[in-house]
Amino acid sequence: MVEEFLKGAEEAGAETENIILAEKNIRRCRGKFECWLKTPGSCTIHDDMEDLISRFMGSDIVVFACPVYFDNVPSIMKSFVERLSPVLLPQFEEDGKGEYRHAKRYEKYPKFAVISNAGLPGQINFDVERLFFRRLARTFHTELVAEIYRAEGEIFRGQKNIMLKPLIGKYKKLLRSAGKEIVENHMLSEKMIEDLGKPIVPSSLYIKFGNEEWDRLIKENQTE
């Protein structure tokens, strides 16, 4: 999904980079507030986050891309987010809607977009993530300009299936078009949002063939 989205963004003239957090050395936040008190604006943990924060702040748009793990973001994504604390100030402020957050350290922050994939069918699987990223954008004084939530995510494993291949290909084209729209308009059209959220196959079929595949894999692993 990310690769197709970035292809579209590049076709629209954007310079892109796909950073795999699992390949980076990102230690957990210790919660000592040293980035606010001892070394303001810089974390005292020296790992790959030093470079990642620089790339984060140097971006026009940051796309958070992750699968759903037990109704929320994976732990590596949460660790990354927590380590972004140095880009904010410790002081509190009211956000204009009667809620509170930490004040800005910088004048400009990148806009956010989200791409997420869930193995189960149904958009309800993204309720927690949807709230999390909308709150996160508010916390970081920015806008959430795109949300792409793909249920039935396991369907992408069937790219060689003669029946699924054209359906998956159609969805990939949508992702490329979405990447273009984000670069050109900094938002997705209502039609694009609607099309991206439609099931690729009926839920009943997805469940049927998905369960059959799990049964096959379980049996295969038990006989090895």
Side-chain angles (χ1 to χ4, degrees), residues 5 22 30 44-45 50 52 56 58 67 71 77 82 85 98 106 116 119 127-128 157 179-180 194 201 220 223:
F5 182 87
R30 296 190 297 245
T44 55
I45 300 173
E50 293 175 277
L52 293 177
F56 175 87
D71 295 304
M77 179 68 77
E82 290 168 359
S85 297
Y106 302 102
S116 189
D127 282 0
V128 176
R157 296 186 189 277
K180 289 181 182 179
E194 180 183 353
V201 298
E220 183 180 281
T223 56

Side-chain angles (χ1 to χ4, degrees), residues 125-193:
N125 297 290
F126 303 100
D127 282 0
V128 176
E129 274 196 353
R130 185 179 285 110
L131 178 59
F132 174 76
F133 284 113
R134 289 179 181 183
R135 294 287 296 179
L136 197 67
R138 186 198 71 91
T139 295
F140 283 93
H141 303 263
T142 189
E143 300 175 70
L144 183 58
V145 296
E147 297 174 89
I148 301 174
Y149 299 119
R150 178 70 268 155
E152 302 181 348
E154 292 291 329
I155 202 167
F156 293 114
R157 296 186 189 277
Q159 294 188 67
K160 294 181 180 179
N161 182 292
I162 192 168
M163 292 186 293
L164 293 178
K165 189 174 182 179
L167 299 175
I168 295 171
K170 182 179 178 181
Y171 188 73
K172 285 183 175 182
K173 288 182 181 178
L174 276 176
L175 288 168
R176 288 197 294 274
S177 295
K180 289 181 182 179
E181 282 194 12
I182 286 299
V183 174
E184 294 171 350
N185 306 321
H186 279 207
M187 63 179 294
L188 295 180
S189 66
E190 289 297 325
K191 185 177 187 310
M192 178 62 70
I193 294 170

Side-chain angles (χ1 to χ4, degrees), residues 207-222:
I207 291 292
K208 178 181 184 296
F209 291 115
N211 284 343
E212 287 177 357
E213 178 65 7
W214 276 115
D215 290 341
R216 185 190 68 78
L217 290 169
I218 290 169
K219 185 176 180 180
E220 183 180 281
N221 279 270
Q222 288 175 343

Side-chain angles (χ1 to χ4, degrees), residues 2-17:
V2 174
E3 289 172 357
E4 296 299 328
F5 182 87
L6 293 182
K7 283 178 186 176
E10 289 166 0
E11 289 170 8
E15 181 180 336
T16 71
E17 183 176 10

Side-chain angles (χ1 to χ4, degrees), residues 18-24 26:
N18 188 5
I19 295 172
I20 310 299
L21 294 181
E23 297 175 355
K24 300 295 182 179
I26 302 174

